[in-house]
mmCIF file of all heavy atoms in Angstrom:
data_model
loop_
_atom_site.group_PDB
_atom_site.id
_atom_site.type_symbol
_atom_site.label_atom_id
_atom_site.label_comp_id
_atom_site.label_asym_id
_atom_site.label_seq_id
_atom_site.Cartn_x
_atom_site.Cartn_y
_atom_site.Cartn_z
ATOM 1 N N GLU A 30 83.817 144.529 92.437
ATOM 2 C CA GLU A 30 84.096 143.566 93.594
ATOM 3 C C GLU A 30 84.894 142.376 93.070
ATOM 4 O O GLU A 30 85.650 141.817 93.839
ATOM 5 C CB GLU A 30 82.773 143.164 94.154
ATOM 6 C CG GLU A 30 81.771 144.262 94.565
ATOM 7 C CD GLU A 30 82.378 145.328 95.399
ATOM 8 O OE1 GLU A 30 83.130 145.043 96.378
ATOM 9 O OE2 GLU A 30 82.117 146.527 95.061
ATOM 10 N N THR A 31 84.724 142.046 91.806
ATOM 11 C CA THR A 31 85.615 140.977 91.216
ATOM 12 C C THR A 31 87.018 141.480 91.182
ATOM 13 O O THR A 31 87.975 140.766 91.567
ATOM 14 C CB THR A 31 85.137 140.641 89.800
ATOM 15 O OG1 THR A 31 83.746 140.170 89.864
ATOM 16 C CG2 THR A 31 85.954 139.477 89.151
ATOM 17 N N GLU A 32 87.227 142.745 90.793
ATOM 18 C CA GLU A 32 88.515 143.359 90.770
ATOM 19 C C GLU A 32 89.121 143.488 92.131
ATOM 20 O O GLU A 32 90.297 143.222 92.449
ATOM 21 C CB GLU A 32 88.482 144.753 90.102
ATOM 22 C CG GLU A 32 88.191 144.680 88.641
ATOM 23 C CD GLU A 32 87.689 145.982 88.025
ATOM 24 O OE1 GLU A 32 87.529 146.976 88.711
ATOM 25 O OE2 GLU A 32 87.363 145.899 86.800
ATOM 26 N N ALA A 34 88.545 141.476 94.735
ATOM 27 C CA ALA A 34 88.988 140.073 95.091
ATOM 28 C C ALA A 34 90.317 139.779 94.438
ATOM 29 O O ALA A 34 91.168 139.169 95.037
ATOM 30 C CB ALA A 34 87.881 139.104 94.710
ATOM 31 N N ILE A 35 90.477 140.228 93.189
ATOM 32 C CA ILE A 35 91.799 139.948 92.492
ATOM 33 C C ILE A 35 92.881 140.626 93.279
ATOM 34 O O ILE A 35 93.955 140.082 93.520
ATOM 35 C CB ILE A 35 91.724 140.489 91.012
ATOM 36 C CG1 ILE A 35 90.775 139.642 90.176
ATOM 37 C CG2 ILE A 35 93.111 140.537 90.439
ATOM 38 C CD1 ILE A 35 90.490 140.196 88.808
ATOM 39 N N ALA A 38 93.424 139.003 96.713
ATOM 40 C CA ALA A 38 94.084 137.687 96.612
ATOM 41 C C ALA A 38 95.502 137.885 96.112
ATOM 42 O O ALA A 38 96.237 136.859 96.049
ATOM 43 C CB ALA A 38 93.299 136.825 95.573
ATOM 44 N N ILE A 40 96.674 138.580 93.100
ATOM 45 C CA ILE A 40 96.837 137.910 91.861
ATOM 46 C C ILE A 40 97.587 138.860 90.908
ATOM 47 O O ILE A 40 97.091 139.947 90.615
ATOM 48 C CB ILE A 40 95.526 137.421 91.311
ATOM 49 C CG1 ILE A 40 94.842 136.430 92.269
ATOM 50 C CG2 ILE A 40 95.769 136.818 89.883
ATOM 51 C CD1 ILE A 40 93.392 136.096 91.873
ATOM 52 N N ILE A 48 92.488 129.268 84.918
ATOM 53 C CA ILE A 48 91.400 129.538 85.799
ATOM 54 C C ILE A 48 90.170 128.802 85.389
ATOM 55 O O ILE A 48 89.805 128.734 84.195
ATOM 56 C CB ILE A 48 91.027 131.123 85.776
ATOM 57 C CG1 ILE A 48 92.359 131.937 86.114
ATOM 58 C CG2 ILE A 48 89.998 131.420 86.733
ATOM 59 C CD1 ILE A 48 92.075 133.456 86.124
ATOM 60 N N ALA A 49 89.375 128.298 86.352
ATOM 61 C CA ALA A 49 88.061 127.785 86.098
ATOM 62 C C ALA A 49 87.071 128.737 86.726
ATOM 63 O O ALA A 49 87.250 129.087 87.911
ATOM 64 C CB ALA A 49 87.880 126.353 86.673
ATOM 65 N N ASP A 50 86.022 129.158 86.009
ATOM 66 C CA ASP A 50 85.009 129.993 86.607
ATOM 67 C C ASP A 50 83.734 129.102 86.543
ATOM 68 O O ASP A 50 83.168 128.840 85.518
ATOM 69 C CB ASP A 50 84.776 131.250 85.733
ATOM 70 C CG ASP A 50 83.772 132.145 86.395
ATOM 71 O OD1 ASP A 50 83.149 131.840 87.380
ATOM 72 O OD2 ASP A 50 83.566 133.287 85.876
ATOM 73 N N ILE A 51 83.384 128.641 87.782
ATOM 74 C CA ILE A 51 82.322 127.633 87.848
ATOM 75 C C ILE A 51 80.953 128.255 88.187
ATOM 76 O O ILE A 51 80.847 129.067 89.111
ATOM 77 C CB ILE A 51 82.739 126.573 88.958
ATOM 78 C CG1 ILE A 51 84.099 125.970 88.587
ATOM 79 C CG2 ILE A 51 81.644 125.541 89.083
ATOM 80 C CD1 ILE A 51 84.541 124.957 89.624
ATOM 81 N N GLY A 52 79.958 127.853 87.356
ATOM 82 C CA GLY A 52 78.602 128.493 87.543
ATOM 83 C C GLY A 52 78.653 129.912 86.953
ATOM 84 O O GLY A 52 78.224 130.861 87.609
ATOM 85 N N SER A 58 81.708 137.596 85.732
ATOM 86 C CA SER A 58 83.048 137.495 86.376
ATOM 87 C C SER A 58 84.045 137.022 85.365
ATOM 88 O O SER A 58 85.232 137.473 85.331
ATOM 89 C CB SER A 58 83.014 136.627 87.586
ATOM 90 O OG SER A 58 82.537 135.356 87.281
ATOM 91 N N THR A 59 83.685 136.129 84.448
ATOM 92 C CA THR A 59 84.583 135.588 83.491
ATOM 93 C C THR A 59 85.192 136.721 82.654
ATOM 94 O O THR A 59 86.367 136.756 82.328
ATOM 95 C CB THR A 59 83.844 134.629 82.454
ATOM 96 O OG1 THR A 59 82.941 133.808 83.225
ATOM 97 C CG2 THR A 59 84.843 133.760 81.705
ATOM 98 N N LEU A 62 87.682 138.885 84.654
ATOM 99 C CA LEU A 62 88.922 138.090 84.852
ATOM 100 C C LEU A 62 89.673 138.138 83.479
ATOM 101 O O LEU A 62 90.950 138.385 83.517
ATOM 102 C CB LEU A 62 88.691 136.650 85.159
ATOM 103 C CG LEU A 62 88.075 136.466 86.617
ATOM 104 C CD1 LEU A 62 87.572 135.015 86.704
ATOM 105 C CD2 LEU A 62 89.089 136.765 87.704
ATOM 106 N N LEU A 66 93.407 139.852 83.640
ATOM 107 C CA LEU A 66 94.530 138.976 83.880
ATOM 108 C C LEU A 66 95.071 138.369 82.623
ATOM 109 O O LEU A 66 94.412 138.285 81.547
ATOM 110 C CB LEU A 66 94.067 137.822 84.792
ATOM 111 C CG LEU A 66 93.524 138.329 86.207
ATOM 112 C CD1 LEU A 66 93.034 137.132 87.016
ATOM 113 C CD2 LEU A 66 94.656 139.019 87.013
ATOM 114 N N ILE A 115 93.644 128.848 89.778
ATOM 115 C CA ILE A 115 92.605 129.598 90.439
ATOM 116 C C ILE A 115 91.291 128.975 90.057
ATOM 117 O O ILE A 115 91.000 128.679 88.935
ATOM 118 C CB ILE A 115 92.590 131.134 89.977
ATOM 119 C CG1 ILE A 115 93.935 131.765 90.328
ATOM 120 C CG2 ILE A 115 91.452 131.860 90.665
ATOM 121 C CD1 ILE A 115 94.125 133.119 89.621
ATOM 122 N N ILE A 116 90.425 128.752 91.103
ATOM 123 C CA ILE A 116 89.052 128.435 90.839
ATOM 124 C C ILE A 116 88.202 129.590 91.319
ATOM 125 O O ILE A 116 88.319 130.036 92.520
ATOM 126 C CB ILE A 116 88.608 127.178 91.623
ATOM 127 C CG1 ILE A 116 89.362 125.946 90.892
ATOM 128 C CG2 ILE A 116 87.109 126.971 91.524
ATOM 129 C CD1 ILE A 116 88.968 124.613 91.485
ATOM 130 N N TRP A 117 87.390 130.121 90.460
ATOM 131 C CA TRP A 117 86.560 131.354 90.744
ATOM 132 C C TRP A 117 85.102 130.836 90.643
ATOM 133 O O TRP A 117 84.718 130.044 89.807
ATOM 134 C CB TRP A 117 86.753 132.359 89.624
ATOM 135 C CG TRP A 117 86.506 133.802 90.138
ATOM 136 C CD1 TRP A 117 85.300 134.427 90.152
ATOM 137 C CD2 TRP A 117 87.509 134.728 90.597
ATOM 138 N NE1 TRP A 117 85.492 135.691 90.673
ATOM 139 C CE2 TRP A 117 86.814 135.883 90.960
ATOM 140 C CE3 TRP A 117 88.883 134.618 90.847
ATOM 141 C CZ2 TRP A 117 87.469 137.050 91.445
ATOM 142 C CZ3 TRP A 117 89.521 135.767 91.303
ATOM 143 C CH2 TRP A 117 88.769 136.911 91.669
ATOM 144 N N SER A 118 84.261 131.358 91.571
ATOM 145 C CA SER A 118 82.833 131.028 91.452
ATOM 146 C C SER A 118 81.992 132.049 92.204
ATOM 147 O O SER A 118 82.102 132.212 93.416
ATOM 148 C CB SER A 118 82.553 129.665 92.032
ATOM 149 O OG SER A 118 81.235 129.324 91.891
ATOM 150 N N GLU A 119 81.180 132.825 91.467
ATOM 151 C CA GLU A 119 80.378 133.868 92.086
ATOM 152 C C GLU A 119 78.926 133.532 92.054
ATOM 153 O O GLU A 119 78.358 133.226 91.050
ATOM 154 C CB GLU A 119 80.628 135.232 91.317
ATOM 155 C CG GLU A 119 82.062 135.743 91.492
ATOM 156 C CD GLU A 119 82.211 137.250 91.097
ATOM 157 O OE1 GLU A 119 81.164 137.976 91.031
ATOM 158 O OE2 GLU A 119 83.381 137.610 90.869
ATOM 159 N N TRP A 134 86.040 120.692 94.939
ATOM 160 C CA TRP A 134 86.895 121.436 94.017
ATOM 161 C C TRP A 134 88.297 121.505 94.477
ATOM 162 O O TRP A 134 89.165 121.727 93.636
ATOM 163 C CB TRP A 134 86.314 122.829 93.809
ATOM 164 C CG TRP A 134 84.897 122.912 93.308
ATOM 165 C CD1 TRP A 134 84.224 121.864 92.777
ATOM 166 C CD2 TRP A 134 84.032 124.019 93.245
ATOM 167 N NE1 TRP A 134 82.957 122.233 92.374
ATOM 168 C CE2 TRP A 134 82.789 123.614 92.640
ATOM 169 C CE3 TRP A 134 84.099 125.330 93.668
ATOM 170 C CZ2 TRP A 134 81.719 124.416 92.476
ATOM 171 C CZ3 TRP A 134 83.018 126.179 93.417
ATOM 172 C CH2 TRP A 134 81.860 125.729 92.849
ATOM 173 N N LEU A 143 94.492 129.035 94.327
ATOM 174 C CA LEU A 143 93.467 129.875 95.017
ATOM 175 C C LEU A 143 92.046 129.558 94.676
ATOM 176 O O LEU A 143 91.756 129.347 93.512
ATOM 177 C CB LEU A 143 93.666 131.392 94.714
ATOM 178 C CG LEU A 143 94.888 132.132 95.248
ATOM 179 C CD1 LEU A 143 95.056 133.441 94.602
ATOM 180 C CD2 LEU A 143 94.654 132.345 96.766
ATOM 181 N N LEU A 144 91.214 129.561 95.721
ATOM 182 C CA LEU A 144 89.800 129.493 95.547
ATOM 183 C C LEU A 144 89.204 130.866 95.834
ATOM 184 O O LEU A 144 89.502 131.375 96.901
ATOM 185 C CB LEU A 144 89.220 128.492 96.485
ATOM 186 C CG LEU A 144 87.679 128.365 96.560
ATOM 187 C CD1 LEU A 144 87.098 127.722 95.276
ATOM 188 C CD2 LEU A 144 87.172 127.594 97.796
ATOM 189 N N VAL A 145 88.379 131.398 94.945
ATOM 190 C CA VAL A 145 87.738 132.660 95.203
ATOM 191 C C VAL A 145 86.212 132.467 94.958
ATOM 192 O O VAL A 145 85.827 132.101 93.861
ATOM 193 C CB VAL A 145 88.233 133.779 94.288
ATOM 194 C CG1 VAL A 145 87.484 135.096 94.634
ATOM 195 C CG2 VAL A 145 89.735 133.927 94.411
ATOM 196 N N VAL A 146 85.436 132.539 95.995
ATOM 197 C CA VAL A 146 83.962 132.081 95.942
ATOM 198 C C VAL A 146 83.082 132.986 96.687
ATOM 199 O O VAL A 146 83.436 133.436 97.794
ATOM 200 C CB VAL A 146 83.905 130.580 96.419
ATOM 201 C CG1 VAL A 146 84.290 130.426 97.922
ATOM 202 C CG2 VAL A 146 82.599 129.926 96.222
ATOM 203 N N MET A 249 82.604 137.364 99.940
ATOM 204 C CA MET A 249 83.508 136.871 98.925
ATOM 205 C C MET A 249 84.649 136.257 99.701
ATOM 206 O O MET A 249 85.324 137.030 100.505
ATOM 207 C CB MET A 249 84.019 138.102 98.065
ATOM 208 C CG MET A 249 84.902 137.734 96.963
ATOM 209 S SD MET A 249 84.044 137.088 95.527
ATOM 210 C CE MET A 249 83.615 138.562 94.591
ATOM 211 N N ILE A 251 88.253 134.203 99.973
ATOM 212 C CA ILE A 251 89.543 133.856 99.228
ATOM 213 C C ILE A 251 90.307 132.898 100.072
ATOM 214 O O ILE A 251 90.508 133.181 101.312
ATOM 215 C CB ILE A 251 90.342 135.045 98.939
ATOM 216 C CG1 ILE A 251 89.500 136.062 98.088
ATOM 217 C CG2 ILE A 251 91.654 134.725 98.181
ATOM 218 C CD1 ILE A 251 89.946 137.455 98.061
#
Side-chain angles (χ1 to χ4, degrees):
E30 309 310 317
T31 302
E32 288 160 5
I35 291 172
I40 299 170
I48 304 177
D50 185 355
I51 303 179
S58 54
T59 319
L62 293 168
L66 301 175
I115 301 168
I116 292 181
W117 207 277
S118 182
E119 294 195 19
W134 300 348
L143 284 168
L144 173 73
V145 182
V146 61
M249 183 81 86
I251 302 162

